[in-house]
Amino acid sequence: MPPDELPPGPSLFATFDFIRNPFRFLDTCASRYGDWFTVRVPGVAPFVFTSDPAAVREIFLGDPDALHAGEANRPLGAFMGERSSLFLDGSEHLRQRRLLLPAFHGEQVASHADAMRNAADNAIASWPRGQRFRIHPQMRAITFETIIRAVFGFENDSTGAELRASLKKLFALYTSRLGTLFSLPAMQIDAGRWSPWGRAVRLTRQIDSILYAEFARRRKEGVEGRADILSMLLSARYEDGQPLPDNVIRDEMYTLMLAGHETTAATMAWVINRLVTNPEVMERARAEVFSALNGRLLDASHVGKLKYLEAAINETMRLDPVVPNIGRGLKKPMTIAGVQLPSGVTIAPCIYLVHRRRELWPNPAQFNPDRFLESRQSPYTFFPFGGGSRRCLGAAFATYQMKIVIAEILSRVELKKVDGYEPHAIRRGIAFAPSDGLPVNCD
């Protein structure tokens, strides 16, 4: 099928709405074109979106040598580096993924419970009582601190302080309106230290210098007894006994910083939005938290008891996915769910639209966490973390952190909706977050 015979789709002008209001854009496309539509962006291969669950299943179970996720993800990684597992394909991806998996094992994730709770407590203590404030920046502060401690293993020493300062500047640039355009090659021009890309290049050089020095220090001193993810990667070995090269570890750390930090923060902001707009759900979740804690400090032993809170998080990710689609670059012509597609296009299973199909989700626009208590969901109809061999490595880490942070919020403060505020999704870095930072009232 030649490119002009791809499924119909919006004009280039209409496609700009994907940046301004992505959920509205996707709803409009689904209403106008149905289960399949093509989105074209200058300089990149056409994206063929699909919300057909049969297509999602075929893609997740398909040949990874013919369906390149790494290639499709490449526009997301302006700063993450070529050696990130996010951008690798085939055997190379699987080889690196196997080395990363132990860092995200259940017991390993649980070892970070105290760091996650402390980051939440420190932020909550600073919130203004009886006043309105924006919750999304607070969620970003919490996930940022968790990354510094649980992922990097830095404390409040001079190296940690230097890394914090540089990362905060990079995050601010990455999540700005200009940062959303850094995936376009035309924006990746270093026109000096005051240009947007020039600032980004110089910040990454500063961060690289800190990281490489820390890699060398830990390799020399040893990492025995350390539970942070960086130390685990430094001690990991390929099948032939060789360690991960420093540039590979560097790229994986940037992926955790930029992708993991922003997506988790945005999801928690959406969860807060759903709770404050559904007080009965909030109170049920709060009661579960108090019952689980029974007057004690939240720790790893309580997290598994928060079933309803986890259901509320899942229902939020169904309705408000922070990454609305995934992608696979076709390396050969393929027929997927009866639709013929040529080599070179990117097939894009649409998380947002599949999560709102009426035949899959009764009353799909209704926020109802009980859906996730009543039955187990199919990985082809609920996939906020992607699926198949490319399912997000950090899914368990992110979900665990969200349960701890939201539980701490519910146990310590009462948040309320701001009258007249109705959020819409806007892009912040790799994630789609609530507009205006999601203002809330705090008591």
Side-chain angles (χ1 to χ4, degrees):
M1 179 187 294
D4 59 355
E5 293 183 18
L6 292 174
S11 67
L12 177 60
F13 177 78
T15 297
F16 281 112
D17 203 33
F18 192 47
I19 295 176
R20 294 193 301 264
N21 195 324
F23 294 169
R24 179 179 65 191
F25 169 80
L26 293 169
D27 283 333
T28 299
C29 287
S31 175
R32 184 170 299 173
Y33 305 109
D35 292 350
W36 295 79
F37 56 90
T38 302
V39 173
R40 290 179 168 85
V41 178
V44 298
F47 285 81
V48 179
F49 279 70
T50 180
S51 60
D52 182 351
V56 176
R57 185 179 188 278
E58 290 184 25
I59 292 164
F60 286 171
L61 297 178
D63 179 4
D65 289 329
L67 295 157
H68 277 197
E71 181 179 309
N73 290 336
R74 189 59 248 173
L76 300 175
F79 310 120
M80 297 181 202
E82 298 289 340
R83 301 302 302 167
S84 165
S85 58
L86 193 63
F87 309 129
L88 300 178
D89 284 300
S91 60
E92 195 174 14
H93 167 260
L94 291 175
R95 181 176 183 240
Q96 194 151 307
R97 185 181 177 92
R98 290 190 192 102
L99 290 183
L100 298 172
L101 278 172
F104 299 98
H105 186 271
E107 292 183 3
Q108 182 64 27
V109 171
S111 72
H112 302 303
D114 289 349
M116 295 173 179
R117 186 197 64 242
N118 290 338
D121 289 346
N122 290 338
I124 294 169
S126 70
W127 294 355
R129 303 304 193 264
Q131 297 181 38
R132 177 185 305 182
F133 71 102
R134 290 182 169 88
I135 198 73
H136 182 218
Q138 295 297 318
M139 298 299 99
R140 290 169 63 191
I142 291 170
T143 57
F144 177 81
E145 189 61 28
T146 300
I147 283 176
I148 292 294
R149 293 181 179 273
V151 176
F152 288 102
F154 282 115
E155 299 297 333
N156 292 319
D157 54 14
S158 59
T159 303
E162 186 180 5
L163 182 66
R164 279 179 172 87
S166 296
L167 282 177
K168 284 180 179 179
K169 293 177 183 178
L170 182 63
F171 282 141
L173 187 60
Y174 181 67
T175 58
S176 68
R177 293 190 181 277
L178 277 174
T180 63
L181 301 176
F182 280 156
S183 59
L184 302 176
M187 289 295 295
Q188 298 178 11
I189 299 173
D190 185 354
R193 63 184 304 109
W194 304 114
S195 66
W197 185 252
R199 293 202 303 273
V201 168
R202 285 155 182 79
L203 280 170
T204 55
R205 287 174 184 165
Q206 292 174 20
I207 296 167
D208 287 352
S209 177
I210 298 169
L211 290 181
Y212 285 127
E214 183 66 13
F215 296 171
R217 186 185 72 81
R218 290 196 201 179
R219 288 193 191 279
K220 180 179 179 180
E221 296 179 0
V223 296
E224 185 176 354
R226 300 186 65 113
D228 57 272
I229 292 174
L230 170 56
S231 293
M232 293 191 70
L233 295 183
L234 286 167
S235 63
R237 294 293 183 271
Y238 290 114
E239 298 89 339
D240 60 4
Q242 293 299 309
L244 275 71
D246 282 359
N247 67 317
V248 171
I249 298 176
R250 177 265 187 208
D251 290 356
E252 293 296 351
M253 299 308 287
Y254 268 80
T255 301
L256 291 171
M257 284 190 294
L258 297 172
H261 160 70
E262 193 58 39
T263 53
T264 304
T267 300
M268 289 196 294
W270 284 117
V271 172
I272 295 297
N273 176 64
R274 290 291 175 177
L275 291 178
V276 298
T277 53
N278 295 273
E280 71 288 353
V281 173
M282 179 183 280
E283 288 312 308
R284 184 174 167 186
R286 193 193 311 276
E288 179 186 64
V289 170
F290 282 127
S291 175
L293 295 181
N294 194 25
R296 291 173 294 175
L297 193 68
L298 189 153
D299 60 31
S301 68
H302 301 118
V303 178
K305 301 175 183 178
L306 304 178
K307 302 296 186 183
Y308 186 71
L309 178 56
E310 183 173 358
I313 292 169
N314 283 334
E315 179 71 342
T316 300
M317 291 193 292
R318 181 184 72 82
L319 287 167
D320 309 306
V322 295
V323 178
N325 65 277
I326 56 177
R328 300 286 191 272
L330 269 61
K331 305 309 293 180
K332 66 179 183 181
M334 299 183 71
T335 299
I336 299 175
V339 176
Q340 295 181 353
L341 298 171
S343 173
V345 304
T346 297
I347 181 75
C350 187
I351 300 170
Y352 173 82
L353 292 176
V354 174
H355 284 186
R356 289 171 176 256
R357 290 183 72 98
R358 293 185 179 279
E359 74 274 21
L360 301 175
W361 310 93
N363 300 314
Q366 180 186 14
F367 182 72
N368 178 18
D370 284 327
R371 301 179 201 269
F372 290 88
L373 297 176
E374 296 165 352
S375 61
R376 186 178 179 86
Q377 305 301 325
S378 164
Y380 312 118
T381 59
F382 178 68
F383 51 103
F385 294 103
S389 64
R390 302 300 299 228
R391 188 174 186 271
C392 175
L393 275 168
F397 187 97
T399 302
Y400 200 90
Q401 182 180 9
M402 287 190 277
K403 291 173 72 174
I404 286 179
V405 173
I406 301 301
E408 281 296 281
I409 292 172
L410 291 173
S411 69
R412 296 189 56 183
V413 295
E414 184 172 351
L415 300 179
K416 295 181 179 179
K417 186 180 188 300
V418 170
D419 291 339
Y421 170 73
E422 295 296 335
H424 64 270
I426 58 171
R427 184 168 177 178
R428 285 292 178 262
I430 198 174
F432 289 102
S435 55
D436 299 319
L438 183 60
V440 295
N441 292 313
C442 180
D443 293 330

mmCIF file of all heavy atoms in Angstrom, residues 359-388:
data_model
loop_
_atom_site.group_PDB
_atom_site.id
_atom_site.type_symbol
_atom_site.label_atom_id
_atom_site.label_comp_id
_atom_site.label_asym_id
_atom_site.label_seq_id
_atom_site.Cartn_x
_atom_site.Cartn_y
_atom_site.Cartn_z
ATOM 1 N N GLU A 359 -17.664 -1.084 24.016
ATOM 2 C CA GLU A 359 -17.899 -2.522 24.127
ATOM 3 C C GLU A 359 -16.944 -3.188 25.118
ATOM 4 O O GLU A 359 -17.185 -4.325 25.559
ATOM 5 C CB GLU A 359 -17.786 -3.196 22.756
ATOM 6 C CG GLU A 359 -16.384 -3.336 22.204
ATOM 7 C CD GLU A 359 -15.899 -2.116 21.430
ATOM 8 O OE1 GLU A 359 -16.465 -1.014 21.648
ATOM 9 O OE2 GLU A 359 -14.977 -2.265 20.619
ATOM 10 N N LEU A 360 -15.873 -2.487 25.481
ATOM 11 C CA LEU A 360 -14.913 -3.019 26.445
ATOM 12 C C LEU A 360 -15.154 -2.483 27.850
ATOM 13 O O LEU A 360 -14.892 -3.175 28.849
ATOM 14 C CB LEU A 360 -13.483 -2.665 26.028
ATOM 15 C CG LEU A 360 -13.010 -3.169 24.666
ATOM 16 C CD1 LEU A 360 -11.619 -2.617 24.369
ATOM 17 C CD2 LEU A 360 -12.985 -4.690 24.636
ATOM 18 N N TRP A 361 -15.611 -1.246 27.925
ATOM 19 C CA TRP A 361 -15.749 -0.553 29.205
ATOM 20 C C TRP A 361 -17.143 0.053 29.297
ATOM 21 O O TRP A 361 -17.378 1.146 28.779
ATOM 22 C CB TRP A 361 -14.697 0.551 29.337
ATOM 23 C CG TRP A 361 -13.292 0.107 29.048
ATOM 24 C CD1 TRP A 361 -12.638 0.168 27.857
ATOM 25 C CD2 TRP A 361 -12.388 -0.496 29.985
ATOM 26 N NE1 TRP A 361 -11.369 -0.339 27.989
ATOM 27 C CE2 TRP A 361 -11.184 -0.764 29.279
ATOM 28 C CE3 TRP A 361 -12.456 -0.824 31.337
ATOM 29 C CZ2 TRP A 361 -10.078 -1.333 29.893
ATOM 30 C CZ3 TRP A 361 -11.355 -1.401 31.950
ATOM 31 C CH2 TRP A 361 -10.190 -1.654 31.233
ATOM 32 N N PRO A 362 -18.098 -0.608 29.952
ATOM 33 C CA PRO A 362 -19.447 -0.026 30.108
ATOM 34 C C PRO A 362 -19.373 1.363 30.738
ATOM 35 O O PRO A 362 -18.596 1.598 31.665
ATOM 36 C CB PRO A 362 -20.146 -1.026 31.040
ATOM 37 C CG PRO A 362 -19.418 -2.320 30.832
ATOM 38 C CD PRO A 362 -17.983 -1.935 30.576
ATOM 39 N N ASN A 363 -20.167 2.293 30.210
ATOM 40 C CA ASN A 363 -20.119 3.689 30.653
ATOM 41 C C ASN A 363 -18.667 4.168 30.706
ATOM 42 O O ASN A 363 -18.133 4.510 31.777
ATOM 43 C CB ASN A 363 -20.768 3.852 32.029
ATOM 44 C CG ASN A 363 -22.213 3.431 32.042
ATOM 45 O OD1 ASN A 363 -22.974 3.799 31.143
ATOM 46 N ND2 ASN A 363 -22.609 2.649 33.034
ATOM 47 N N PRO A 364 -17.987 4.192 29.574
ATOM 48 C CA PRO A 364 -16.528 4.381 29.568
ATOM 49 C C PRO A 364 -16.055 5.690 30.169
ATOM 50 O O PRO A 364 -14.931 5.749 30.690
ATOM 51 C CB PRO A 364 -16.174 4.293 28.078
ATOM 52 C CG PRO A 364 -17.437 4.616 27.349
ATOM 53 C CD PRO A 364 -18.541 4.080 28.201
ATOM 54 N N ALA A 365 -16.864 6.757 30.117
ATOM 55 C CA ALA A 365 -16.427 8.042 30.661
ATOM 56 C C ALA A 365 -16.582 8.116 32.171
ATOM 57 O O ALA A 365 -16.066 9.043 32.805
ATOM 58 C CB ALA A 365 -17.192 9.184 29.999
ATOM 59 N N GLN A 366 -17.272 7.148 32.762
ATOM 60 C CA GLN A 366 -17.483 7.157 34.211
ATOM 61 C C GLN A 366 -16.231 6.695 34.944
ATOM 62 O O GLN A 366 -15.617 5.699 34.569
ATOM 63 C CB GLN A 366 -18.661 6.253 34.576
ATOM 64 C CG GLN A 366 -18.952 6.204 36.071
ATOM 65 C CD GLN A 366 -20.022 5.189 36.423
ATOM 66 O OE1 GLN A 366 -20.384 4.341 35.604
ATOM 67 N NE2 GLN A 366 -20.558 5.283 37.633
ATOM 68 N N PHE A 367 -15.882 7.404 36.019
ATOM 69 C CA PHE A 367 -14.756 7.014 36.862
ATOM 70 C C PHE A 367 -15.249 5.990 37.879
ATOM 71 O O PHE A 367 -15.984 6.323 38.806
ATOM 72 C CB PHE A 367 -14.173 8.244 37.570
ATOM 73 C CG PHE A 367 -12.970 7.943 38.422
ATOM 74 C CD1 PHE A 367 -11.757 7.629 37.839
ATOM 75 C CD2 PHE A 367 -13.051 7.985 39.816
ATOM 76 C CE1 PHE A 367 -10.634 7.361 38.631
ATOM 77 C CE2 PHE A 367 -11.942 7.718 40.604
ATOM 78 C CZ PHE A 367 -10.733 7.402 40.006
ATOM 79 N N ASN A 368 -14.851 4.743 37.706
ATOM 80 C CA ASN A 368 -15.361 3.652 38.539
ATOM 81 C C ASN A 368 -14.239 2.667 38.866
ATOM 82 O O ASN A 368 -14.025 1.695 38.145
ATOM 83 C CB ASN A 368 -16.512 2.941 37.813
ATOM 84 C CG ASN A 368 -17.049 1.766 38.606
ATOM 85 O OD1 ASN A 368 -16.822 1.652 39.812
ATOM 86 N ND2 ASN A 368 -17.756 0.874 37.933
ATOM 87 N N PRO A 369 -13.521 2.890 39.956
ATOM 88 C CA PRO A 369 -12.408 1.987 40.315
ATOM 89 C C PRO A 369 -12.821 0.535 40.511
ATOM 90 O O PRO A 369 -11.987 -0.366 40.390
ATOM 91 C CB PRO A 369 -11.885 2.593 41.624
ATOM 92 C CG PRO A 369 -12.273 4.034 41.561
ATOM 93 C CD PRO A 369 -13.598 4.041 40.872
ATOM 94 N N ASP A 370 -14.098 0.295 40.822
ATOM 95 C CA ASP A 370 -14.543 -1.082 41.047
ATOM 96 C C ASP A 370 -14.323 -1.972 39.831
ATOM 97 O O ASP A 370 -14.276 -3.200 39.971
ATOM 98 C CB ASP A 370 -16.022 -1.108 41.438
ATOM 99 C CG ASP A 370 -16.243 -0.678 42.881
ATOM 100 O OD1 ASP A 370 -15.366 -0.956 43.723
ATOM 101 O OD2 ASP A 370 -17.277 -0.044 43.170
ATOM 102 N N ARG A 371 -14.190 -1.377 38.647
ATOM 103 C CA ARG A 371 -13.897 -2.185 37.453
ATOM 104 C C ARG A 371 -12.674 -3.072 37.691
ATOM 105 O O ARG A 371 -12.609 -4.201 37.216
ATOM 106 C CB ARG A 371 -13.584 -1.288 36.251
ATOM 107 C CG ARG A 371 -14.634 -0.317 35.805
ATOM 108 C CD ARG A 371 -14.089 0.482 34.625
ATOM 109 N NE ARG A 371 -14.802 1.736 34.434
ATOM 110 C CZ ARG A 371 -15.860 1.887 33.656
ATOM 111 N NH1 ARG A 371 -16.339 0.843 33.008
ATOM 112 N NH2 ARG A 371 -16.434 3.062 33.523
ATOM 113 N N PHE A 372 -11.702 -2.517 38.413
ATOM 114 C CA PHE A 372 -10.432 -3.216 38.592
ATOM 115 C C PHE A 372 -10.428 -4.124 39.827
ATOM 116 O O PHE A 372 -9.441 -4.795 40.091
ATOM 117 C CB PHE A 372 -9.284 -2.212 38.643
ATOM 118 C CG PHE A 372 -9.025 -1.557 37.315
ATOM 119 C CD1 PHE A 372 -9.695 -0.403 36.950
ATOM 120 C CD2 PHE A 372 -8.142 -2.127 36.415
ATOM 121 C CE1 PHE A 372 -9.467 0.190 35.713
ATOM 122 C CE2 PHE A 372 -7.911 -1.539 35.182
ATOM 123 C CZ PHE A 372 -8.582 -0.388 34.820
ATOM 124 N N LEU A 373 -11.521 -4.118 40.564
ATOM 125 C CA LEU A 373 -11.685 -5.059 41.664
ATOM 126 C C LEU A 373 -12.534 -6.251 41.249
ATOM 127 O O LEU A 373 -12.402 -7.341 41.808
ATOM 128 C CB LEU A 373 -12.344 -4.368 42.858
ATOM 129 C CG LEU A 373 -11.572 -3.212 43.506
ATOM 130 C CD1 LEU A 373 -12.404 -2.577 44.609
ATOM 131 C CD2 LEU A 373 -10.233 -3.694 44.050
ATOM 132 N N GLU A 374 -13.404 -6.035 40.273
ATOM 133 C CA GLU A 374 -14.374 -7.054 39.886
ATOM 134 C C GLU A 374 -13.817 -8.079 38.918
ATOM 135 O O GLU A 374 -14.286 -9.214 38.873
ATOM 136 C CB GLU A 374 -15.607 -6.379 39.277
ATOM 137 C CG GLU A 374 -16.366 -5.502 40.286
ATOM 138 C CD GLU A 374 -17.347 -4.556 39.623
ATOM 139 O OE1 GLU A 374 -17.323 -4.485 38.354
ATOM 140 O OE2 GLU A 374 -18.103 -3.877 40.341
ATOM 141 N N SER A 375 -12.834 -7.695 38.110
ATOM 142 C CA SER A 375 -12.296 -8.637 37.125
ATOM 143 C C SER A 375 -10.878 -8.241 36.737
ATOM 144 O O SER A 375 -10.473 -7.092 36.911
ATOM 145 C CB SER A 375 -13.176 -8.667 35.865
ATOM 146 O OG SER A 375 -13.212 -7.392 35.248
ATOM 147 N N ARG A 376 -10.147 -9.205 36.217
ATOM 148 C CA ARG A 376 -8.792 -8.964 35.732
ATOM 149 C C ARG A 376 -8.864 -8.459 34.294
ATOM 150 O O ARG A 376 -9.551 -9.038 33.462
ATOM 151 C CB ARG A 376 -7.975 -10.258 35.795
ATOM 152 C CG ARG A 376 -6.498 -10.085 35.440
ATOM 153 C CD ARG A 376 -5.766 -11.408 35.583
ATOM 154 N NE ARG A 376 -4.371 -11.299 35.226
ATOM 155 C CZ ARG A 376 -3.422 -10.921 36.063
ATOM 156 N NH1 ARG A 376 -3.736 -10.631 37.324
ATOM 157 N NH2 ARG A 376 -2.159 -10.845 35.681
ATOM 158 N N GLN A 377 -8.153 -7.382 34.011
ATOM 159 C CA GLN A 377 -8.241 -6.763 32.690
ATOM 160 C C GLN A 377 -7.253 -7.395 31.719
ATOM 161 O O GLN A 377 -6.147 -7.787 32.086
ATOM 162 C CB GLN A 377 -7.978 -5.256 32.800
ATOM 163 C CG GLN A 377 -8.880 -4.542 33.789
ATOM 164 C CD GLN A 377 -10.345 -4.684 33.476
ATOM 165 O OE1 GLN A 377 -10.740 -4.717 32.309
ATOM 166 N NE2 GLN A 377 -11.172 -4.776 34.509
ATOM 167 N N SER A 378 -7.654 -7.469 30.454
ATOM 168 C CA SER A 378 -6.799 -8.014 29.409
ATOM 169 C C SER A 378 -5.644 -7.061 29.108
ATOM 170 O O SER A 378 -5.829 -5.840 29.071
ATOM 171 C CB SER A 378 -7.610 -8.240 28.130
ATOM 172 O OG SER A 378 -6.760 -8.420 27.010
ATOM 173 N N PRO A 379 -4.443 -7.588 28.881
ATOM 174 C CA PRO A 379 -3.307 -6.715 28.537
ATOM 175 C C PRO A 379 -3.428 -6.091 27.155
ATOM 176 O O PRO A 379 -2.586 -5.273 26.781
ATOM 177 C CB PRO A 379 -2.108 -7.670 28.603
ATOM 178 C CG PRO A 379 -2.684 -9.018 28.327
ATOM 179 C CD PRO A 379 -4.044 -9.001 28.954
ATOM 180 N N TYR A 380 -4.464 -6.473 26.399
ATOM 181 C CA TYR A 380 -4.674 -5.882 25.074
ATOM 182 C C TYR A 380 -5.774 -4.829 25.087
ATOM 183 O O TYR A 380 -6.001 -4.157 24.083
ATOM 184 C CB TYR A 380 -5.010 -6.978 24.053
ATOM 185 C CG TYR A 380 -4.065 -8.151 24.134
ATOM 186 C CD1 TYR A 380 -4.519 -9.428 24.452
ATOM 187 C CD2 TYR A 380 -2.697 -7.967 23.936
ATOM 188 C CE1 TYR A 380 -3.636 -10.496 24.559
ATOM 189 C CE2 TYR A 380 -1.809 -9.023 24.049
ATOM 190 C CZ TYR A 380 -2.286 -10.288 24.356
ATOM 191 O OH TYR A 380 -1.405 -11.344 24.475
ATOM 192 N N THR A 381 -6.444 -4.687 26.241
ATOM 193 C CA THR A 381 -7.471 -3.653 26.369
ATOM 194 C C THR A 381 -7.148 -2.643 27.470
ATOM 195 O O THR A 381 -7.770 -1.587 27.542
ATOM 196 C CB THR A 381 -8.852 -4.274 26.646
ATOM 197 O OG1 THR A 381 -8.800 -5.048 27.851
ATOM 198 C CG2 THR A 381 -9.272 -5.175 25.490
ATOM 199 N N PHE A 382 -6.179 -2.979 28.336
ATOM 200 C CA PHE A 382 -5.699 -2.044 29.349
ATOM 201 C C PHE A 382 -4.183 -2.138 29.370
ATOM 202 O O PHE A 382 -3.613 -3.126 29.821
ATOM 203 C CB PHE A 382 -6.277 -2.382 30.729
ATOM 204 C CG PHE A 382 -5.783 -1.469 31.826
ATOM 205 C CD1 PHE A 382 -6.157 -0.136 31.852
ATOM 206 C CD2 PHE A 382 -4.946 -1.949 32.830
ATOM 207 C CE1 PHE A 382 -5.693 0.718 32.853
ATOM 208 C CE2 PHE A 382 -4.476 -1.106 33.835
ATOM 209 C CZ PHE A 382 -4.859 0.224 33.845
ATOM 210 N N PHE A 383 -3.528 -1.105 28.840
ATOM 211 C CA PHE A 383 -2.072 -1.177 28.704
ATOM 212 C C PHE A 383 -1.426 0.200 28.868
ATOM 213 O O PHE A 383 -0.747 0.705 27.980
ATOM 214 C CB PHE A 383 -1.674 -1.821 27.365
ATOM 215 C CG PHE A 383 -2.335 -1.217 26.142
ATOM 216 C CD1 PHE A 383 -1.647 -0.346 25.306
ATOM 217 C CD2 PHE A 383 -3.637 -1.553 25.808
ATOM 218 C CE1 PHE A 383 -2.243 0.199 24.181
ATOM 219 C CE2 PHE A 383 -4.243 -1.008 24.675
ATOM 220 C CZ PHE A 383 -3.544 -0.135 23.856
ATOM 221 N N PRO A 384 -1.613 0.835 30.050
ATOM 222 C CA PRO A 384 -1.027 2.167 30.260
ATOM 223 C C PRO A 384 0.499 2.173 30.227
ATOM 224 O O PRO A 384 1.103 3.227 30.010
ATOM 225 C CB PRO A 384 -1.551 2.562 31.645
ATOM 226 C CG PRO A 384 -1.822 1.265 32.321
ATOM 227 C CD PRO A 384 -2.311 0.356 31.236
ATOM 228 N N PHE A 385 1.124 1.001 30.453
ATOM 229 C CA PHE A 385 2.583 0.904 30.422
ATOM 230 C C PHE A 385 3.075 0.196 29.157
ATOM 231 O O PHE A 385 4.204 -0.299 29.119
ATOM 232 C CB PHE A 385 3.082 0.142 31.648
ATOM 233 C CG PHE A 385 2.845 0.857 32.952
ATOM 234 C CD1 PHE A 385 1.812 0.470 33.799
ATOM 235 C CD2 PHE A 385 3.641 1.920 33.332
ATOM 236 C CE1 PHE A 385 1.585 1.124 35.004
ATOM 237 C CE2 PHE A 385 3.427 2.586 34.533
ATOM 238 C CZ PHE A 385 2.397 2.190 35.370
ATOM 239 N N GLY A 386 2.255 0.175 28.107
ATOM 240 C CA GLY A 386 2.629 -0.556 26.906
ATOM 241 C C GLY A 386 2.418 -2.040 27.104
ATOM 242 O O GLY A 386 1.720 -2.471 28.034
ATOM 243 N N GLY A 387 3.018 -2.857 26.212
ATOM 244 C CA GLY A 387 2.776 -4.282 26.327
ATOM 245 C C GLY A 387 3.774 -5.125 25.573
ATOM 246 O O GLY A 387 4.684 -4.622 24.911
ATOM 247 N N GLY A 388 3.570 -6.435 25.681
ATOM 248 C CA GLY A 388 4.468 -7.372 25.039
ATOM 249 C C GLY A 388 5.855 -7.303 25.656
ATOM 250 O O GLY A 388 6.024 -6.982 26.838
#
